[in-house]
Amino acid sequence: MDLEFSAAEDAFRAEARAWLAAHVPDTPLPSLETAEGFAAHRQWERTLFADRWSVVSWPEDYGGRGASILQWLIFEEEYYAAGAPGRVSQNGISLLAPTLFEHGTAEQRARILPPMASGEAIWAQAWSEPEAGSDLASLRSTAVRTDGGWRLSGQKTWSSRAAFADRAFGLFRSDPDAPKPHQGLTYLMFPLDAEGVTVRPIGRLDGKPAFAELFLDGVFVPDEDVIGEPGQGWRVAMSTAGNERGLTLRSPGRFTAAAVRLTALWRGQADPSDTALRDRVADAVIGARAYQLFTYAGASRLAAGSRIGAESSLNKVFWSELDIALHETALDLLGPYGELADGAQEAPSHGSWAEGHTFSLAGPLYAGTNEIQRDIIAERLLGLPKGRR
């Protein structure tokens, strides 16, 4: 791995940094887990798209810049370092789009990707069900064949962004007689305002509707909204899951920027004699840097033609635990004021540490629990025998 950037990559970084300096709002946007904040973040997506910064690694035909994976990492570093708003389009851009690039048709990419890039269509992930979370193959929601498409029925839960999003993607059981649970599944997209869809928001610890449960009652979906072959949804879903656990959802720029903010907190208000807290800050900074280097190594392998498989589970365990450690250390530095959420007049950093901590607690659960990821690491990377389940 060459750790030196090329002149073109340095120029790309400078262009991104200048644009962000000119456009990032001076005042943080309201939480995207509220109706007001969701609308403000959708507008931010439009601002990004207008100058082709919303999806830098996509082909130009879909609104991107055709940037390399290293340029994408550079952009992400600059994005988080600039304190730019969280991405309300993340489910679509980071999860569904890579799946469409790998398994979708040309018609689907042309129809779906541009409005996704512009923020016109915000996507929710509709995978988990009341009895099918980490054990995704046990899902019960069904897709029944009908003229020109499918009828979806069942319940999805913990659907990120679904409270305010426009469309969703998920897996459905289309062949109940398939010999194994992960067979006979079909990957479909559907609008959240379609007849037969009921969206019921789920409040987070702070009361904001970061999730929703979806009730589907005979919702019609045309054939054109099936991704991949009917019955082959598991293979398509594993493509999405790899992106969710690995590189595209959690770029290292998110954590290196947080580590810089944490260091500033320490320097500004910590008790220098508190060596235990000092060591936690140092560990967080080292962890963020280690994740950055590990990611660059992975990106170099991808650029050379390799694929990232079970290694994405290593990523997922590492970044999810690092995220919690970073935020817990920050809250301990801030003391009682750290508990104040956004909207409170005295909330440090507009409550961003408190909100970030709330979100980080979900990290070991979503995208497949860390227990599941450790099983994958043990069996597929270390070659250990399967444990009892």
Side-chain angles (χ1 to χ4, degrees):
M1 182 178 67
D2 184 359
L3 294 177
E4 298 293 328
F5 292 112
S6 68
E9 288 160 352
D10 285 337
F12 182 84
R13 182 188 292 278
E15 183 183 1
R17 183 177 295 177
W19 188 90
L20 289 163
H23 291 83
V24 170
D26 293 331
T27 302
L29 302 181
S31 169
L32 59 80
E33 313 296 1
T34 64
E36 176 192 12
F38 199 90
H41 282 77
R42 189 194 291 267
Q43 183 57 46
W44 170 247
E45 296 290 339
R46 291 171 177 149
T47 301
L48 287 167
F49 179 72
D51 288 329
R52 295 189 301 120
W53 288 110
S54 68
V55 286
V56 297
S57 61
W58 289 13
E60 293 183 8
D61 288 349
Y62 303 128
R65 290 171 172 255
S68 69
I69 189 169
L70 289 178
Q71 287 176 316
W72 174 77
L73 284 168
I74 289 169
F75 174 73
E76 292 283 300
E77 287 180 358
E78 294 300 322
Y79 189 88
Y80 286 105
R87 301 294 303 273
V88 74
S89 289
Q90 193 173 55
N91 283 332
I93 291 172
S94 300
L95 304 180
L96 180 58
T99 306
L100 287 170
F101 281 123
E102 186 172 353
H103 298 281
T105 65
E107 185 278 331
Q108 287 175 332
R109 290 190 284 272
R111 173 167 52 92
I112 294 168
L113 294 181
M116 179 192 294
S118 69
E120 178 184 345
I122 306 293
W123 289 79
Q125 185 182 23
W127 278 26
S128 295
E129 299 185 3
E131 297 182 19
S134 292
D135 185 15
L136 184 62
S138 62
L139 63 85
R140 296 180 179 177
S141 292
T142 59
V144 177
R145 205 74 176 91
T146 188
D147 289 343
W150 302 79
R151 292 283 181 187
L152 308 184
S153 297
Q155 180 184 355
K156 300 288 184 178
T157 192
W158 304 118
S159 296
S160 305
R161 305 279 184 271
F164 306 113
D166 306 293
R167 294 177 63 83
F169 54 93
L171 272 180
F172 294 85
R173 190 162 299 285
S174 54
D175 181 1
D177 298 322
K180 295 183 179 179
H182 62 277
Q183 296 176 346
L185 301 173
T186 298
Y187 200 122
L188 295 116
M189 303 174 283
F190 56 97
L192 290 173
D193 62 353
E195 184 178 353
V197 177
T198 300
V199 179
R200 183 184 298 172
I202 299 174
R204 208 170 50 179
L205 282 174
D206 57 9
K208 296 169 184 167
F211 313 95
E213 54 186 347
L214 308 176
F215 298 89
L216 309 171
D217 183 12
V219 180
F220 176 74
V221 175
D223 285 325
E224 64 182 12
D225 280 345
V226 174
I227 304 178
E229 294 296 322
Q232 300 299 312
W234 187 257
R235 186 169 69 90
V236 182
M238 290 305 98
S239 172
T240 308
N243 285 297
E244 187 175 26
R245 295 164 187 164
L247 183 61
T248 59
L249 186 65
R250 290 289 174 261
S251 65
R254 182 172 185 267
F255 303 105
T256 52
V260 169
R261 293 173 56 216
L262 182 63
T263 304
L265 267 183
W266 163 260
R267 288 174 174 158
Q269 57 192 90
D271 176 0
S273 65
D274 189 343
T275 56
L277 195 51
R278 179 202 61 192
D279 290 348
R280 288 170 60 193
V281 173
D283 286 344
V285 173
I286 292 169
R289 178 64 170 157
Y291 181 57
Q292 180 189 38
L293 293 175
F294 181 81
T295 304
Y296 269 100
S300 296
R301 290 197 300 275
L302 284 173
S306 296
R307 294 177 64 85
I308 301 295
E311 289 179 33
S312 62
S313 294
L314 288 172
N315 272 31
K316 200 273 174 172
V317 171
F318 192 86
W319 62 247
S320 60
E321 295 184 349
L322 172 63
D323 204 19
I324 292 175
L326 271 164
H327 285 87
E328 286 185 344
T329 304
L331 293 187
D332 287 343
L333 273 166
L334 291 167
Y337 286 100
E339 304 296 327
L340 297 175
D342 62 316
Q345 189 173 4
E346 296 177 299
S349 303
H350 300 276
S352 61
W353 285 113
E355 176 147 336
H357 178 250
T358 302
F359 183 77
S360 74
L361 296 177
L365 300 176
Y366 67 80
T369 66
N370 283 8
E371 287 78 9
I372 293 292
Q373 305 314 311
R374 287 190 166 93
D375 275 349
I376 293 172
I377 293 166
E379 295 168 10
R380 300 183 193 175
L381 296 180
L382 300 178
L384 298 177
K386 289 187 176 181
R388 292 182 179 178
R389 297 188 180 130

